[in-house]
Amino acid sequence: MLSPELSWFAVLQSRNLGRRVPNQGKPPVLPPSRKVLYHVVHVPWQSPDDVKELLWRRHAYNNAVISLREVFRQEIRQAEAAGRGLEAMKEEEDAEFNRLIAENDRINREKAKARDIREQTEWKNTQREILSEIEEALQKQQKMAIEASEEVRAAISRSSNFVDKTNLEAKIIEALENPTVYDFAIDRQGNKYYDPKPVKYQEGVPTRQKGRLFDRTLGVTQKTAGEEDEGEKVATKVPFIDAVVCGRSWGNSSIPA
């Protein structure tokens, strides 16, 4: 097994196998060229007026700093003479810091109390809203249960007329004996005019159909085989309107005189 140094060297060698060898530069044993060796950078001289101005500004700044330091030293000496030296200033600063900390603690306690009161109020309001929502949901469920019970009772009451195996024959005979007509005409005012009840048993020779079976013109008497035997049945006269019968519409229908 290779040592860590040999393994690292092998990794470096494997990484550098595909790299091109750089071009040969200048050997380090050779001295620098004359261009580099004898190249001297000459800084341009500043104007004497600028030098004097900068020197005067430097002296003015240093004098101001020295004056401020002397003023601070005099203030410290006066404070020490009056019993308010550095120790007294530190004590005052500590006392002020403690006072500010106590004031901050008092404000934090007041805000904590106000926050507790606000949270309790919000929690009570939330409880009230939740209870109201629960009550509304219960009332809604109760209402739905009542409606479902009524629907079930209505279905049970209607089930007496349902067709089942026991009354199938009777229902078939009843439907054959009492046919129902769903065709009707409707005018522009929305009034419906139903066709007369059809006759189940045709007696005699039926009349030849001259037009479409379900064509109707409002205001014109319609006859059937049974009505021919009973007599002509006069229909109620209605004003001239357009009729729609069995999904068809007829416009400009004329009523015979």
Side-chain angles (χ1 to χ4, degrees):
M1 183 175 181
L2 296 177
S3 62
E5 291 81 6
L6 293 177
S7 61
W8 178 247
F9 182 75
V11 170
L12 290 178
Q13 287 296 108
S14 63
R15 289 183 178 179
N16 295 329
L17 285 177
R19 296 186 180 181
R20 183 178 61 84
V21 178
N23 296 329
Q24 179 64 35
K26 185 176 181 180
V29 295
L30 294 179
S33 62
R34 293 183 179 181
K35 182 178 180 181
V36 177
L37 182 62
Y38 298 105
H39 178 68
V40 180
V41 179
H42 297 282
V43 179
W45 287 86
Q46 294 183 351
S47 174
D49 297 335
D50 296 341
V51 174
K52 290 180 181 179
E53 180 68 20
L54 294 175
L55 184 60
W56 177 83
R57 290 184 181 182
R58 180 180 179 183
H59 289 321
Y61 174 77
N62 291 335
N63 291 333
V65 171
I66 292 171
S67 300
L68 289 174
R69 289 178 179 175
E70 185 63 25
V71 170
F72 291 154
R73 290 193 187 97
Q74 291 179 3
E75 290 181 355
I76 291 172
R77 293 193 196 98
Q78 291 177 2
E80 290 178 352
R84 297 179 62 256
L86 294 177
E87 297 297 333
M89 293 174 64
K90 290 181 180 179
E91 292 178 358
E92 290 180 359
E93 291 178 356
D94 293 340
E96 184 178 3
F97 179 74
N98 294 330
R99 182 180 61 80
L100 294 176
I101 291 295
E103 183 70 16
N104 189 21
D105 294 339
R106 183 184 63 80
I107 295 173
N108 289 337
R109 287 193 297 271
E110 292 178 356
K111 290 186 177 181
K113 291 180 181 179
R115 184 171 59 253
D116 293 339
I117 295 172
R118 185 175 65 254
E119 289 179 354
Q120 290 179 1
T121 305
E122 292 178 355
W123 173 240
K124 290 180 180 178
N125 295 334
T126 304
Q127 285 182 338
R128 192 180 302 108
E129 292 177 359
I130 292 172
L131 292 176
S132 62
E133 291 179 359
I134 292 173
E135 185 177 0
E136 290 178 0
L138 292 176
Q139 291 178 358
K140 186 176 180 180
Q141 291 179 0
Q142 186 177 4
K143 184 178 179 181
M144 292 176 62
I146 293 173
E147 293 178 356
S149 301
E150 292 178 355
E151 291 180 359
V152 171
R153 294 191 189 95
I156 292 173
S157 62
R158 293 194 306 270
S159 64
S160 59
N161 296 326
F162 289 172
V163 179
D164 53 9
K165 293 181 179 180
T166 58
N167 59 355
L168 179 59
E169 295 294 336
K171 292 293 183 181
I172 292 174
I173 295 173
E174 182 181 357
L176 292 175
E177 294 294 337
N178 300 308
T180 304
V181 179
Y182 298 98
D183 299 330
F184 61 88
I186 185 170
D187 58 8
R188 292 180 178 177
Q189 286 73 28
N191 301 322
K192 295 181 180 180
Y193 301 90
Y194 289 90
D195 287 348
K197 186 176 180 180
V199 178
K200 179 181 177 183
Y201 303 102
Q202 297 288 345
E203 296 180 0
V205 180
T207 58
R208 185 172 62 87
Q209 181 179 348
K210 297 180 180 180
R212 286 176 291 186
L213 179 60
F214 297 104
D215 287 354
R216 296 289 183 271
T217 301
L218 299 181
V220 178
T221 304
Q222 304 293 336
K223 294 183 180 181
T224 59
E227 292 175 353
E228 291 178 356
D229 297 338
E230 296 176 0
E232 183 178 1
K233 182 178 180 181
V234 181
T236 305
K237 298 294 182 179
V238 295
F240 169 68
I241 54 177
D242 294 342
V244 178
V245 182
C246 296
R248 302 186 183 92
S249 64
W250 288 266
N252 300 328
S253 300
S254 59
I255 301 175

